[in-house]
Amino acid sequence: MLATFGWLCAAHAMTGLLALLLLVSLLYATAPLYAFAESRPFAGPRWYNPYGELTAPGRWQKASFHAHSVAWGGATNGTQSAEQVASAYQTMQYDIVGLSNYHSMSAAARTGTFPVYEQGWNVQKAHRLAIGGDAIVWRDYPLGQTAHQKQDIINRIALTGAVVVLAHPALRGGHSTADLRQLSGYDALEVLNHFVPPATTQWDAALSSGRAVWAMANDDSHDVRRAGETGVSWTLLHAPSSRPDDVRAAIRAGRLIGVRGAGGQAQLAFVSQRMIGDTLEVRVRGPVGGVAFTAQDGLSRTAVVTSANGVTTARAVARPTDGYVRATVSGTGAADRELLLLNPVIRWDGQLLGAGPATVNAPRTAALRWFACCLYAAAFTSMQARRRRRVPSARPVQV
Ligand SMILES: [Zn+2]
């Protein structure tokens, strides 16, 4: 009796596992394959400066788009309630607070915070922040992802109207430098995140390949009582209001500065960034320890730094082969851990900024689906044959 019960349980478990495997394999079998835009440096006779139009109405707002509260009945990693997390950021005087729970915006609805969620339920931790959208993308590729599958998720989130930010790209190789040379259709990269060192290698890979994506900084806090992960990285965003349409527009235009500080405070303060011919000039206030300029292929360019009246001015000349140049300001003394990560100036023609979108490669996608259909048919036929062999042949009963 017990043996029969055990056998039945094992059979049910096996059926469940097979059903799950079938479901997961269907996700992969139906993924589109893409033709990615060519990887090449930005080009054009003009420079796009994301901070060039700051005379337009607006102000710098301190924003957090990545922090977690208790969600899904405690199944995901979060320590405090949504109200407590929101209150911790409001105490640090953030203008925009987003609670980015996994695949959920219910905390935002409850607390009136900014609508954002973190997308991704895969072992590779290929996660994205969907900012200012109104629908959750549930689809994912749980067992690892090629650039094609990552592109598919980016496109699905973009279709909801949300700004797409690749979260912590350096964490567990979620988005590798090879991926970032191919992917497009997203708006920003979370270059600062407390879990990992600054993902500048990944960012420079994307920029060097002609992808106009901007730096964003977030805590990714899972416990607001821990000073090392709360109020340490934030994004300054220049927008006329904190309404979702203004915030989305500011992110897409690159009017962002990634900041590393402590307790939600930093002494370094951005003043201006402009191009004079091919010379990038950056001006900053506060205890500046250094200004580093980075250009094509992540190579550094010589900085000439001067100071007067409490303002530090740094300049670097772009080479003809530089598709972009960007500046990073670091602090000194008590502010030696501080960073201001400025977005780059980018060469362009005044119309299209960077690479075009990836397009679906229809013949390859159809071939993949045909191949998958053949595999499913072969597996089904072989299972049927095995089942037939297992059923004992009926014998005539003698009376
Ligand atoms: Zn994450």
Side-chain angles (χ1 to χ4, degrees):
M1 178 77 175
L2 262 179
T4 314
F5 179 71
W7 183 86
L8 272 174
C9 283
H12 275 109
M14 183 58 80
T15 311
L17 189 68
L18 278 175
L20 189 68
L21 274 177
L22 178 70
L23 218 68
V24 169
S25 70
L26 271 172
L27 291 172
Y28 286 88
T30 54
L33 294 176
Y34 286 89
F36 295 105
E38 198 187 334
S39 165
R40 64 170 173 212
F42 298 108
R46 298 163 64 178
W47 288 98
Y48 176 81
N49 176 8
Y51 310 129
E53 291 171 21
L54 296 186
T55 45
R59 65 184 179 91
W60 286 109
Q61 300 180 61
K62 189 160 62 171
S64 161
F65 294 106
H66 197 171
H68 296 264
S69 65
V70 172
W72 298 110
T76 54
N77 183 1
T79 313
Q80 290 86 14
S81 70
E83 289 76 7
Q84 287 170 316
V85 178
S87 153
Y89 280 94
Q90 279 147 6
T91 304
M92 291 186 289
Q93 296 175 318
Y94 280 60
D95 302 287
I96 300 166
V97 179
L99 302 174
S100 58
N101 290 325
Y102 299 101
H103 295 260
S104 170
M105 288 195 282
S106 63
R110 213 169 59 244
T111 55
T113 48
F114 197 85
V116 55
Y117 69 93
E118 185 165 10
Q119 196 281 347
W121 46 281
N122 56 79
V123 293
Q124 209 180 4
K125 284 207 178 278
H127 291 172
R128 303 91 188 165
L129 297 171
I131 298 176
D134 52 15
I136 307 279
V137 171
W138 277 99
R139 175 151 183 158
D140 207 7
Y141 299 95
L143 304 178
Q145 306 186 351
T146 64
H148 298 275
Q149 290 136 7
K150 288 171 188 171
Q151 186 68 59
D152 182 43
I153 300 297
I154 288 171
N155 291 0
R156 284 171 189 270
I157 299 173
L159 275 177
T160 68
V163 154
V164 188
V165 180
L166 304 187
H168 45 65
L171 190 62
R172 240 188 258 176
H175 289 89
S176 67
T177 51
D179 292 331
L180 294 166
R181 288 195 180 95
Q182 292 189 292
L183 297 173
S184 56
Y186 63 100
D187 305 285
L189 203 59
E190 192 180 55
V191 180
L192 299 183
N193 173 303
H194 93 272
F195 279 113
V196 275
T200 46
T201 307
Q202 288 78 2
W203 189 27
D204 284 313
L207 292 171
S208 299
S209 301
R211 271 59 179 166
V213 293
W214 312 112
M216 181 174 272
N218 289 308
D219 282 336
D220 195 358
S221 172
H222 290 260
D223 181 350
V224 291
R225 279 193 298 260
R226 296 174 69 148
E229 61 183 79
T230 307
V232 290
S233 296
W234 60 91
T235 299
L236 286 175
L237 177 146
H238 195 276
S241 82
S242 54
R243 288 201 319 265
D245 51 346
D246 282 335
V247 170
R248 284 193 301 259
I251 297 174
R252 288 182 174 134
R255 292 194 293 270
L256 314 168
I257 296 172
V259 185
R260 189 168 74 190
Q265 299 297 320
Q267 296 179 54
L268 293 175
F270 172 78
V271 176
S272 67
Q273 168 171 293
R274 62 175 179 156
M275 281 305 276
I276 309 155
D278 281 345
T279 300
L280 175 60
E281 180 197 83
V282 167
R283 295 167 73 229
V284 197
R285 277 184 200 282
V288 175
V291 181
F293 288 92
T294 309
Q296 192 65 33
D297 300 322
L299 297 173
S300 54
R301 295 286 171 259
T302 309
V304 177
V305 183
T306 54
S307 279
N309 304 323
V311 175
T312 300
T313 303
R315 294 192 184 96
V317 182
R319 295 182 187 175
T321 49
D322 287 339
Y324 71 97
V325 188
R326 61 178 188 83
T328 306
V329 184
S330 49
T332 188
D336 65 347
R337 275 194 46 77
E338 288 189 13
L339 275 184
L340 293 183
L341 209 59
L342 303 184
N343 272 310
V345 289
I346 287 176
R347 287 190 195 273
W348 75 321
D349 59 6
Q351 289 180 350
L352 186 66
L353 200 59
T359 52
V360 173
N361 183 326
R364 284 192 68 204
T365 302
L368 170 73
R369 288 178 184 171
W370 173 247
F371 178 68
C373 280
C374 293
L375 275 184
Y376 287 130
F380 183 71
T381 313
S382 127
M383 271 170 59
Q384 289 292 89
R386 204 176 296 168
R387 190 169 295 165
R388 249 183 264 117
R389 278 201 298 277
R390 258 197 242 124
V391 176
S393 54
R395 287 186 188 159
V397 179
Q398 291 189 355
V399 184

